[in-house]
């Protein structure tokens, strides 16, 4: 009896302690507070702007369970669902412990909250990293158990957030090939709205893994409360937005569990990808700037390192080239003044030559007819002409018409007893197979080892998963979508272990892979195959909500019916490159392009690292205006694009943002085409206060499809 009394007192003491547990994850302006309730469960007490004085948020009365489990009393879409050995499909999670550890001079605080089921030996650990200066939080989850046999998990969110407002407005980024990241905002009504992907590879081909959520009224650029979120996962994702009967909003973010029931072995740890989010009280603009600051220092490879301008051969030659033709193009790269020449698709395979997209993928040896002296010769010739050399690879894919397919049919993803399904005449290799991982890594390593002067790789991936079956996984096909992405990361890790700072562009049939799960291994991404200058304004505008400019590869091409200057001005707003027939330039076009590259080098630090203000949206007017401002507010680069102007369009002055109101600024138009003069007459100094309150008239010459770049300098 006495023993039972002691046990009871211990349990009572633990319960009493749990009643007072309060856990705060905080940045400069955001506060996310959890506490334990009377049952010992973790609830979200507060999520919003940091309140003053500090700790005031603990007075709020939020009571929604932080990480909702399936099979118990909650009616919400669960964050986690588990089926135990005995068939019990329920899970209860109670607070066990937590810890908080400051890192890197207290800018980052890592917090873990451990939850356990009181009946079954199941542990769920909620992880958070709070980036104080950037106002960004990363959240992910670890799931493990010690049952005697494997359990099945059929839902496994990275994080769950609960919000309370009068109304909710969701902006999604959707599209298709050449129409990426089209923005659409809608009012959320009671019930469930889901944004997701089931494509496995090129996972965000149709729906990008990012969203904006505005509270109380539609999103504005520099006003209102906006939550911005994205998932760091290069595979199937799911965002669930559930408005309940009390008008509270519950957000589930994580891997899409579609066709992905996962058998979790005893002792195995299932780690979800990170959900990365920020909450802005100053509209979409501040949310974007938070993401940009975070990404440059924490989210992308060598975020503040150099980037290479390049000339790609694709528009000039396609796959129809030879050694002489390519080396002749090196001179064009030199005349442009770019850093690198990039050889695109079509350089490889012999038995099944890569002369079209129906053959050769998988056979990664130089084609001896086109390149009799191999890639090393091209590297040397490029260096002789003062440019570096880069190469295109698509190592995850295979054409049925290839030696690789003939030798290793067991390496190819395809359904048994079904006809093979092709997309772009190709199929996906079974990357869950360690032998295939070795092969894919070997493609990169062999190419680099045999040609050590290669300075850049464009890593492509031109199809999604359909009719999918992984031979290596055998009876565990429900693990396929998850294991493919994990296996891809294993390959990336190996590549980066040996080539830690090699610039690599992440490409996927246009904008099919644009996520922070992959970008920590890459220096930039290809946002779209659509390089039409006018349409690129919308595409780059969309991506700018989550990605800094130095990650968004933007090339000058012959797409579009705009002037060379317009197309160049648009590309200079990202990571500049060229994919164009330089030999077709006349003298003035050549001079303009060369000068543009030099100008870009001079201003790129401001465009890449400065604060972005989207002053005028192309969705609201037939123009677009973007402002990049240096940290010290002494240098500003302003991009002004007049689009297809209507006869009734009336354009008001454009008010700049983020300047020093006491500072005087001088304005100069740069990147002018030879023989032209600026249409502006900014022949005096203007105070920052004037520029922000009165603004500038930026109609310029008033012609459709015209553009200007203004350099604004403190004096």
């Amino acid at each position: 009896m006495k023993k039972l009394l002691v046990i009871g007192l211990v349990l009572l003491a633990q319960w009493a302690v749990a009643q007072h547990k309060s856990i705060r994850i905080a940045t400069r302006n955001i506060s996310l507070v959890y506490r334990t309730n009377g049952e010992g469960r973790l609830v979200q007490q507060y999520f919003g702007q940091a309140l003053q004085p500090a700790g005031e948020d603990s007075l709020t009365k939020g009571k929604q369970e932080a990480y909702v489990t399936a099979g118990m009393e909650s009616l919400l879409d669960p964050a986690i669902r588990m089926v135990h050995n005995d068939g019990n499909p329920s899970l209860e999670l109670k607070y066990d412990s937590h810890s908080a550890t400051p890192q890197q001079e207290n800018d980052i605080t890592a917090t873990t909250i451990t939850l356990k089921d009181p009946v079954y030996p199941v542990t769920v650990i909620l992880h958070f990293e709070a980036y104080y200066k950037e106002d960004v939080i990363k959240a992910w989850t670890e799931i493990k158990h010690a049952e005697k046999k494997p359990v099945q998990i059929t839902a496994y969110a990275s994080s769950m957030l609960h919000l309370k407002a009068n109304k909710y407005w969701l902006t999604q980024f959707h599209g298709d090939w050449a129409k990426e990241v089209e923005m659409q905002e809608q009012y959320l009504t009671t019930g469930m709205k889901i944004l997701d992907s089931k494509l496995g590879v090129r996972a965000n081909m149709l729906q990008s893994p990012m969203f904006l959520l505005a509270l109380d009224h539609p999103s504005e650029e520099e006003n209102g409360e906006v939550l911005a979120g994205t998932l760091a996962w290069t595979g199937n994702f799911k965002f669930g937005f559930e408005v309940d009967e009390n008008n509270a909003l519950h957000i589930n973010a994580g891997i899409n569990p579609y066709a992905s029931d996962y058998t979790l072995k005893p002792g195995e740890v299932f780690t979800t990808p990170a959900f990365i989010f920020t909450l802005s009280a100053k509209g979409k603009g501040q949310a974007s700037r938070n993401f940009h600051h975070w990404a440059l220092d924490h989210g992308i490879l060598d975020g503040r390192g150099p980037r290479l301008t390049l000339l790609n051969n694709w528009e000039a030659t396609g796959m129809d080239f030879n050694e002489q033709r390519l080396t002749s193009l090196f001179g064009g790269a030199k005349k442009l003044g770019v850093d690198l020449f990039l050889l695109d698709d079509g350089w490889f395979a012999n038995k099944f030559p890569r002369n079209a997209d129906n053959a050769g993928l998988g056979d990664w040896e130089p084609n001896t007819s086109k390149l009799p002296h191999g890639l090393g010769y091209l590297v040397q010739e490029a260096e002789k002409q003062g440019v570096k050399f880069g190469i295109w690879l698509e190592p995850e894919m295979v054409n049925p018409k290839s030696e690789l397919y003939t030798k290793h049919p067991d390496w190819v993803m395809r359904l048994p007893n079904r006809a093979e399904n092709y997309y772009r005449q190709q199929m996906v290799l079974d990357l869950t197979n360690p032998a295939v991982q070795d092969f894919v890594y070997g493609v990169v390593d062999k190419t680099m080892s045999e040609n050590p002067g290669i300075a850049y790789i464009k890593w492509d991936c031109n199809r999604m998963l359909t009719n999918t079956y992984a031979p290596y996984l055998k009876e565990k096909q429900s693990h396929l979508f998850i294991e493919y992405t994990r296996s891809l990361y294993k390959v990336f890790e190996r590549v980066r272990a040996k080539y830690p700072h090699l610039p690599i562009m992440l490409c996927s049939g246009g904008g099919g892979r644009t996520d922070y799960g992959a970008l920590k291994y890459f220096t930039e991404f290809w946002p779209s195959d659509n390089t039409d200058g006018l349409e690129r304004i919308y595409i780059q505008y969309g991506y700018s909500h989550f990605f800094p400019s130095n990650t968004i590869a933007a090339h000058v091409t012959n797409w579009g019916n705009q002037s060379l200057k317009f197309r160049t001005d648009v590309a200079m707003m990202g990571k500049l490159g060229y994919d164009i027939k330089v030999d077709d330039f006349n003298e003035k076009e050549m001079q303009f392009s060369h000068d543009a590259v030099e100008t870009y080098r001079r201003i790129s630090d401001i465009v890449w690292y400065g604060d972005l203000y989207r002053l005028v949206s192309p969705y609201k007017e037939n123009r677009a205006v973007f402002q990049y401002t240096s940290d010290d507010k002494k240098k500003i680069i302003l991009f002004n694009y007049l689009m297809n102007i209507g006869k009734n369009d009336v354009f008001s002055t454009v008010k700049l943002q983020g300047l020093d109101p006491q500072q005087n600024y001088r304005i100069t138009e740069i990147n002018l085409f030879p023989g032209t003069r600026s249409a502006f007459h900014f022949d005096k100094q203007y105070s920052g206060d004037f520029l922000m309150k009165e603004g500038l008239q930026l109609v310029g010459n008033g012609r459709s499809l015209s553009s200007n770049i203004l350099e604004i300098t403190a004096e």
Side-chain angles (χ1 to χ4, degrees):
M1 186 68 181
K2 186 179 293 185
K3 184 176 181 181
L4 289 175
L5 180 61
V6 171
I7 292 173
L9 289 173
V10 170
L11 291 174
L12 182 63
Q14 290 177 341
W15 176 83
V17 170
Q19 295 303 294
H20 300 94
K21 288 296 180 185
S22 182
I23 307 164
R24 178 176 289 100
I25 292 104
T27 66
R28 191 200 313 261
N29 295 300
I30 305 170
S31 182
L32 174 60
V33 182
Y34 296 105
R35 65 174 175 83
T36 51
N37 66 11
E39 290 76 43
R41 296 184 187 177
L42 187 74
V43 299
Q44 181 187 301
Q45 184 174 8
Y46 179 80
F47 175 49
Q49 302 303 316
L51 301 179
Q52 297 299 327
E56 197 74 3
D57 46 29
S58 63
L59 300 178
T60 57
K61 301 184 183 298
K63 56 184 180 181
Q64 179 58 61
E65 194 166 356
Y67 195 72
V68 174
T69 63
M72 300 299 286
E73 65 280 356
S74 177
L75 302 179
L76 295 175
D77 189 39
I80 183 170
R81 181 178 183 271
M82 178 180 290
V83 180
H84 301 279
N85 295 169
D86 59 6
N88 190 329
S90 68
L91 187 66
E92 184 180 14
L93 294 176
K94 293 192 175 185
Y95 171 86
D96 180 73
S97 63
H98 76 279
S99 66
T101 307
Q103 302 173 6
Q104 296 185 11
E105 299 179 355
N106 296 324
D107 180 47
I108 306 171
T109 301
T111 301
T112 62
I113 306 173
T114 301
L115 310 174
K116 292 186 177 181
D117 190 304
V119 177
Y120 292 90
V122 175
T123 301
V124 172
I125 304 174
L126 307 182
H127 290 267
F128 302 88
E129 282 184 353
Y131 296 80
Y132 182 82
K133 292 185 298 186
E134 296 86 354
D135 276 329
V136 166
I137 297 174
K138 282 176 62 176
W140 71 96
T141 301
E142 288 184 336
I143 304 165
K144 57 186 177 181
H145 73 95
E147 298 191 26
K148 293 181 179 180
K149 298 178 181 179
V151 302
Q152 189 176 62
I153 51 176
T154 63
Y156 26 77
S158 297
S159 181
M160 199 169 188
L161 291 175
H162 311 284
L163 298 99
K164 184 65 175 177
N166 294 320
K167 293 183 178 180
Y168 310 96
W169 296 84
L170 175 68
T171 299
Q172 66 188 78
F173 299 79
H174 64 96
D176 199 349
W177 180 81
K179 297 185 294 184
E180 290 83 2
V181 294
E182 294 183 354
M183 295 177 64
Q184 186 177 71
E185 187 173 40
Q186 66 181 112
Y187 168 62
L188 291 180
T189 59
T190 304
M192 177 69 78
K193 168 73 176 182
I194 292 176
L195 306 179
D196 71 349
S197 169
K198 304 179 183 70
L199 303 181
V201 183
R202 293 188 66 185
N204 49 308
M205 173 181 171
L206 302 178
Q207 181 71 52
S208 293
M210 54 196 187
F211 68 86
L212 303 171
L213 183 85
L215 305 182
D216 293 323
H217 54 74
S219 60
E220 297 179 18
E221 191 61 37
E222 298 295 336
N223 295 288
E225 197 164 21
V226 175
L227 171 71
T230 187
L231 190 71
W233 182 247
T234 319
N236 292 347
F237 65 89
K238 177 185 174 183
F239 299 129
F241 304 87
E242 186 172 7
V243 180
D244 68 19
E245 68 281 1
N246 297 314
N247 200 45
L249 174 63
H250 314 278
I251 302 175
N252 255 325
I255 297 173
N256 192 346
Y258 164 77
S260 296
D261 291 355
Y262 193 90
T263 303
L264 187 65
K265 295 180 292 187
E268 179 185 359
V269 178
F270 185 98
T271 303
T272 72
F275 174 53
I276 310 168
F277 61 95
T278 185
L279 184 67
S280 163
K282 297 179 181 179
K284 296 180 290 185
Q286 188 59 56
S288 297
R289 292 188 286 276
N290 291 348
F291 259 101
H292 297 169
H293 295 159
W294 172 83
L296 288 168
D297 290 325
H298 308 288
I300 57 177
L301 182 69
D302 295 335
R304 295 190 182 275
R307 296 291 189 269
L308 300 172
T309 55
L310 62 84
L311 172 64
N312 194 329
N313 71 296
W314 184 255
E315 292 288 330
T317 68
M319 297 185 191
D320 184 16
F321 55 80
N322 57 31
E323 212 168 59
Q324 292 72 32
R325 176 67 178 127
L326 291 178
T327 55
S328 71
L329 296 177
F330 296 164
K334 179 64 175 177
K335 289 179 183 178
L336 273 177
V338 296
D339 302 304
L340 178 133
F341 179 88
L342 173 64
L343 175 57
D344 213 293
D345 196 356
W347 59 269
F348 52 90
N350 288 289
K351 184 175 181 179
F352 302 99
R354 182 69 168 177
N355 296 320
D357 67 6
N358 65 344
L361 270 182
D363 302 343
W364 296 100
E365 70 282 342
N367 180 275
T368 54
S369 296
K370 296 179 181 180
L371 307 177
H373 297 96
L375 293 178
Y377 172 78
L378 295 179
V379 172
Q380 294 172 3
E381 289 301 307
E383 290 176 347
K384 286 179 183 178
Q385 298 195 46
V387 293
K388 298 178 181 180
F389 184 83
I391 196 72
W392 178 95
L393 296 171
E394 192 177 5
E396 300 163 66
M397 301 291 162
V398 63
N399 286 128
K401 195 175 180 180
S402 68
E403 291 185 82
L404 179 65
Y405 180 93
T406 303
K407 293 177 181 177
H408 293 288
D410 56 315
W411 284 8
V412 181
M413 285 196 183
R414 56 184 173 186
L415 285 167
N417 306 317
R418 302 288 184 190
E420 290 184 344
N421 177 258
Y422 307 137
Y423 182 90
R424 202 176 180 260
Q425 307 298 320
Q426 64 193 58
M427 302 176 74
V428 184
L429 293 175
D430 181 5
L431 205 58
T432 69
N433 186 337
V436 176
Q437 295 171 32
D438 291 342
F439 170 79
V440 173
Y441 168 75
V443 169
V444 180
D445 188 42
K446 183 173 183 290
T447 303
M448 293 299 302
S449 298
E450 293 181 353
N451 310 282
I454 289 178
Y456 184 95
I457 288 176
K458 177 182 177 182
W459 184 305
D460 214 338
C461 168
N462 279 300
R463 71 154 294 167
M464 71 299 292
L465 292 180
T466 59
N467 299 56
T468 307
Y469 180 93
Y472 181 79
L473 291 178
K474 298 179 181 177
E475 73 280 359
K476 291 186 177 180
Q477 294 304 309
S478 66
H479 289 203
L480 190 157
F481 287 117
I482 293 171
E483 291 300 340
Y484 187 95
T485 305
R486 287 177 172 174
S487 300
L488 182 66
Y489 292 160
K490 288 179 183 177
V491 174
F492 290 165
E493 291 280 359
R494 292 175 67 183
V495 169
R496 282 308 177 193
K498 188 166 184 180
Y499 307 100
H501 300 291
L502 175 70
I504 307 181
M505 177 202 289
L506 180 61
C507 183
S508 187
R513 281 179 172 168
T514 48
D515 65 87
Y516 283 113
L519 276 175
K520 66 181 179 180
Y521 306 105
F522 290 80
T523 50
E524 61 215 62
F525 67 89
W526 184 238
S528 177
D529 284 341
N530 185 347
T531 52
D532 178 293
L534 178 61
E535 295 179 19
R536 259 303 179 109
I537 291 174
Y538 290 92
I539 292 169
Q540 292 172 202
Y541 175 85
Y543 281 120
S544 75
H545 287 80
F546 287 86
F547 303 102
S549 295
N550 67 341
T551 65
I552 305 172
H555 292 181
V556 182
T557 75
N558 283 319
W559 280 42
N561 296 315
Q562 309 95 33
S563 68
L564 177 62
K565 172 174 167 54
F566 186 94
R567 287 175 278 131
T568 303
D569 287 354
V570 172
M572 288 176 71
M573 201 169 63
K575 207 283 294 186
L576 179 66
Y578 287 81
D579 192 347
I580 200 166
K581 294 181 179 179
V582 177
D583 291 344
D584 290 347
F585 281 171
N586 61 36
E587 185 177 348
K588 286 187 175 181
E589 289 172 334
M590 188 70 250
Q591 184 62 51
F592 167 76
S593 298
H594 177 272
D595 292 347
V597 172
E598 291 301 310
T599 297
Y600 181 75
R601 276 201 186 92
R602 185 172 60 79
I603 67 173
S604 59
D605 278 4
I606 303 169
V607 177
W608 293 350
Y609 312 133
D611 283 339
L612 168 63
Y613 296 89
R614 293 178 293 262
L615 302 180
V616 179
S617 165
Y619 285 91
K620 293 186 176 180
E621 298 185 30
N622 287 323
R623 64 170 174 169
V625 186
F626 302 83
Q627 173 193 329
Y628 295 86
T629 304
S630 64
D631 288 344
D632 61 7
K633 303 183 180 183
K634 293 185 180 298
K635 282 279 190 179
I636 297 94
I637 304 298
L638 190 143
F639 294 86
N640 178 51
Y641 307 106
L642 297 183
M643 296 152 66
N644 288 316
I645 299 173
K647 62 181 180 180
N648 295 321
D649 280 335
V650 177
F651 296 132
S652 60
T653 58
V654 176
K655 297 177 181 179
L656 277 61
Q657 300 279 344
L659 306 185
D660 180 349
Q662 304 300 321
Q663 182 71 60
N664 287 327
Y665 294 90
R666 188 170 296 280
I667 304 172
T668 305
E669 182 172 3
I670 59 175
N671 216 45
L672 290 165
F673 198 82
T676 64
R677 294 183 178 180
S678 175
F680 300 113
H681 301 285
F682 302 127
D683 53 358
K684 60 185 71 174
Q685 292 184 355
Y686 302 85
S687 73
D689 203 38
F690 176 90
L691 293 173
M692 290 189 290
K693 291 178 178 176
E694 290 297 319
L696 298 173
Q697 181 55 257
L698 295 178
V699 175
N701 60 28
R703 294 196 300 267
S704 290
L705 302 179
S706 61
S707 58
N708 316 93
I709 302 179
L710 302 180
E711 185 172 20
I712 304 173
T713 308
E715 293 193 345

